[in-house]
Amino acid sequence: MKNKLIAGNWKMNGSLAANEQLLKAVLAGLGQTACQVAVGVPAIYLSQCQALLAGSAVHLAAQDISAHEGGAYTGEIAAAMLKEFGVRYVIVGHSERRHYHGETDEVVASKTQRALACGMTPIVCVGETLAEREAGKTDEVVKRQLASVIHANGHCVSEIVVAYEPVWAIGTGKTATPAQAQQVHAVLRAQLKAASAHADRIKLLYGGSMNAANASALLAQPDIDGGLIGGAALKAVDFLAIIASAA
Ligand code: PEP
C-alpha cells in the first residue's frame, strides 16, 4: 500500500505571526508519521515557511505556478523560482484558479509541465460543479480535465498527483460521500492506467470539506490515497487529526 499524502491548501490566509504559530503547532504535534505531509502556502510566505520547516518531515507546496518559463509576465512566478525556495509540490488547476482566473485545461496542462520540468510534483486538481453533477456529467468533466494533462505530459504523467475536488464540496461543508468520491477516483485511476504502466503509484487525493470527522471514512476507500485540505489545514489540531487518520 502507498503511504498517503495529506496536503494543506492555506489559500489566501495567513500572516507572518499566524504562519509561525500554525507551523510550530503542526511540527510539535506531528511526531513520527507514516504519511507524507505538505502545506501549500501563499507565495509571499514561501521563504518564511521554508525556514520554519527546515529539517522537518513537512514539505512545502506552492498554490500556483506560471505556465511560462520566464520573461515578461508581470506578477507571475516561474517554476525555477519556486524550486529555489524548496518547493516540493505545486497545486495546479485548483477550481478557484479555473473559476476566478479563467484557467483552461490547456493552461493547467502547461503548468503541470513546468512543475515536472523543474523536478516538483504537481497536484493536479479536477472536479465538477454542482450543475455538472446534477446533469450527470461528473465523469465526463473530470476525464476531460485529466485528459489534457495526460496528453501534454506523456509518460511523465506517472509523476503527478491528482486531486479530485468536487467544486460543490469546496469550502461549503458539504462533502462527497466516501462512495461518491471512490466512484470518481476509480474512473480517474482507470484513465491513468490506460495512459501509464505506472498508474498504480500515482496518488489520488480527495479534497472538499475534508475534516477530522470525515477523514477516516474517505481515506479508507481503495482509490483514495490522501487529501487536499483547505479550511481544516488552518487549525493545527484539525490538520493533525486528519494526518493521524491517514497514518
Ligand atoms: C481546497 O480548497 O482545496 C479545499 C479542499 O478546501 P476545503 O477543505 O475548505 O473544502
Side-chain angles (χ1 to χ4, degrees):
M1 205 174 83
K2 326 185 239 302
N3 62 352
K4 299 211 191 289
L5 168 62
I6 300 296
N9 174 14
W10 289 3
K11 311 194 189 198
M12 200 170 69
N13 292 294
S15 66
L16 288 170
N19 303 342
E20 183 170 349
Q21 199 180 20
L22 176 56
L23 286 183
K24 282 188 171 165
V26 168
L27 293 178
L30 192 61
Q32 292 279 349
T33 175
C35 78
Q36 283 174 260
V37 179
V39 285
V41 310
I44 196 154
Y45 295 129
L46 284 170
S47 175
Q48 180 207 14
C49 295
Q50 180 188 27
L52 287 166
L53 296 175
S56 82
V58 177
H59 296 286
L60 195 55
Q63 297 177 12
D64 188 29
I65 186 171
S66 178
H68 306 283
E69 234 177 294
Y73 298 100
T74 303
E76 296 269 280
I77 300 177
M81 298 171 184
L82 296 175
K83 185 76 181 171
E84 282 197 303
F85 287 87
V87 169
R88 166 86 172 76
Y89 295 96
V90 184
I91 300 168
V92 295
H94 192 281
S95 64
E96 288 152 14
R97 301 240 24 118
R98 292 180 191 261
H99 182 69
Y100 297 124
H101 302 274
E103 287 190 9
T104 61
D105 293 341
E106 289 68 34
V107 168
V108 174
S110 300
K111 291 185 170 195
T112 304
Q113 283 178 310
R114 293 286 169 231
L116 287 171
C118 274
M120 295 175 290
T121 303
I123 300 177
V124 179
C125 301
V126 299
E128 82 287 3
T129 62
L130 186 58
E132 287 163 343
R133 174 162 282 268
E134 286 175 351
K137 292 190 170 157
T138 298
D139 295 2
E140 184 190 319
V141 169
V142 298
K143 282 168 78 175
R144 189 205 70 225
Q145 292 171 332
L146 184 58
S148 149
V149 169
I150 291 172
H151 178 72
N153 289 278
H155 69 273
C156 292
V157 81
S158 62
E159 304 303 321
I160 71 172
V161 167
V162 178
Y164 168 55
E165 298 209 307
V167 179
W168 48 271
I170 296 179
T172 59
K174 289 184 195 150
T175 316
T177 64
Q180 281 174 323
Q182 168 56 30
Q183 181 270 322
V184 178
H185 280 231
V187 167
L188 296 170
R189 181 82 66 201
Q191 187 179 9
L192 290 165
K193 276 190 176 158
S196 165
H198 305 291
D200 276 332
R201 73 169 189 232
I202 300 174
K203 285 186 170 58
L204 300 185
L205 314 184
Y206 169 79
S209 299
M210 192 186 267
N211 58 40
N214 61 29
S216 297
L218 286 158
L219 293 168
Q221 299 303 306
D223 286 300
I224 300 187
D225 306 313
L228 183 55
I229 321 296
L234 295 172
K235 284 197 189 137
V237 64
D238 293 346
F239 194 51
L240 288 166
I242 296 172
I243 293 166
S245 308

